[in-house]
Amino acid sequence: MPELPEVAALADFLRARTAGRTVSAVEVGSIAALKTFDPPPAALAGGQVTDVARHGKWLDLAVSPAGSAPTDAPLHLVFHLSRGGWVRWSDALSTKPVRPSLGGSSRGAVLALRVRLDDGSGFDLTEAGTRKRLAVHVVRDPADVEMIASLGVEPLAPEFTTDVLAQLLAAKNQQVKGLLRDQRAIAGIGNAYSDEILLVGRFSPYKLTGTFTPEETARLHTAIGDVLTEAIAAASGKPAKELKDAKRAGMRVHGRTGLPCPGWNGVPCGDTVHEVSFADRSMQYCPTCQTGGKPLADRRMSKLLR
């Protein structure tokens, strides 16, 4: 799933190519992906793209409707790519009309939405896999989407201070991995970057948030900023088609089970990356760097072996 760094890079990529262009058509390929009906996607046709923004893991294409005054609020095409979705840009889209479907359960990539621009360019939203979770909304205000309205603090925003993190840690005694992935607490971090943050911070994913000392809170705050800033720099300027590979290449532990751990500080520790598997995901960590050399039991309700 694309997380904050990749979504930020996608926003930059789309902004550079769509700003000032007119939307000639929006064609729905997967009816199941479209979560709203008023305004309809057709309301975007003839409008001018004014911006592309990011809200957590959501992308937001702002379009000033045709005939609207400069002071009128734009409409917003907002979408969440979820696990199998992606943005596929083309400088010359196929002129063949998109044929809508109910979405189905095909494992192959399904065309969910196509946005055509006035110069013949545009982009497709596609989704692979059988679990179709890509979500597309056309709204008057991004906050009309409940999952956007409920997003927590942006982790690279000035207001995300060590004190704010301390408040989040103290609010509920839970595993720190769960807090980092909770979009209502901190927006934009998912399974992959939470693994990376916890390695750099040297924390067990099962460490309870209620046990964090002020020194540990500051260390976690620094790790969050360092990991995300580094990942954004690595993704910046890359075309959409290269972002997935760039993300994988930049991972220290996530998705690297069985490989040597590069060390929390870039100095190999001599251990290998371990994994804990769940029903629909897995997490990776290093016992030497994070859990005092003790492996975590590989079951859903596992606890740190003491």
Side-chain angles (χ1 to χ4, degrees):
M1 180 185 294
E3 300 176 31
L4 187 156
E6 295 78 46
V7 178
L10 284 170
D12 291 343
F13 177 86
L14 289 175
R15 187 183 306 110
R17 288 159 178 77
T18 63
R21 300 241 64 99
T22 298
V23 176
S24 59
V26 177
E27 300 171 289
V28 177
S30 171
I31 296 172
L34 184 63
K35 307 302 182 184
T36 55
F37 62 90
D38 181 30
L44 301 172
Q48 186 180 67
V49 179
T50 58
D51 193 18
V52 180
R54 178 188 63 80
H55 313 284
K57 300 178 191 176
W58 291 78
L59 282 160
D60 173 4
L61 188 81
V63 178
S64 180
S68 62
T71 55
D72 291 344
L75 296 178
H76 298 264
L77 174 69
V78 294
F79 49 96
H80 192 291
L81 297 170
S82 193
R83 181 170 295 182
W86 200 244
V87 176
R88 300 187 184 278
W89 176 266
S90 175
D91 290 329
L93 281 172
S94 168
T95 57
K96 184 178 179 181
V98 173
R99 301 179 64 178
S101 71
L102 294 177
S105 59
S106 170
R107 287 186 176 275
V110 171
L111 174 57
L113 191 86
R114 174 167 288 167
V115 176
R116 298 183 183 275
L117 301 176
D118 56 343
D119 64 348
S121 68
F123 63 91
D124 292 339
L125 300 183
T126 63
E127 185 171 26
T130 58
R131 302 179 72 176
K132 306 302 184 188
R133 293 180 176 176
L134 185 147
V136 180
H137 302 248
V138 180
V139 292
R140 295 175 178 85
D141 186 329
D144 292 340
V145 181
E146 192 277 333
M147 291 183 69
I148 293 179
S150 64
L151 285 172
V153 63
E154 285 282 344
L156 294 179
E159 56 265 30
F160 182 62
T161 63
T162 304
D163 287 343
V164 167
L165 178 57
Q167 293 169 17
L168 292 172
L169 290 166
K172 176 184 176 182
N173 196 22
Q174 61 181 309
Q175 294 172 351
V176 65
K177 169 86 172 176
L179 173 67
L180 292 176
R181 296 179 66 240
D182 183 356
Q183 299 305 294
R184 292 175 183 263
I186 304 173
I189 301 172
N191 195 38
Y193 286 107
S194 59
D195 283 352
E196 299 295 292
I197 288 165
L198 291 171
L199 172 74
V200 172
R202 292 166 284 156
F203 296 113
S204 166
Y206 294 151
K207 180 176 172 61
L208 295 177
T209 57
T211 67
F212 273 72
T213 66
E215 183 278 328
E216 289 173 330
T217 300
R219 200 167 82 220
L220 178 61
H221 185 271
T222 297
I224 291 170
D226 288 351
V227 168
L228 295 179
T229 299
E230 177 186 282
I232 287 175
S236 179
K238 286 185 170 56
K241 63 183 179 181
E242 295 181 12
L243 287 172
K244 290 183 181 180
D245 288 340
K247 178 180 180 179
R248 282 190 288 265
M251 292 289 116
R252 297 170 174 86
V253 288
H254 186 78
R256 292 175 54 83
T257 303
L259 296 175
C261 172
W264 67 270
N265 58 354
V267 179
C269 67
D271 205 344
T272 57
V273 176
H274 286 48
E275 176 177 301
V276 176
S277 297
F278 301 95
D280 61 347
R281 63 181 175 86
S282 64
M283 67 179 184
Q284 286 77 42
Y285 70 100
C286 171
T288 293
C289 294
Q290 296 175 254
T291 61
K294 300 177 181 180
L296 301 174
D298 190 5
R299 60 182 185 273
R300 181 178 291 273
M301 300 301 292
S302 62
K303 297 180 180 180
L304 180 62
L305 298 178
R306 300 180 187 279

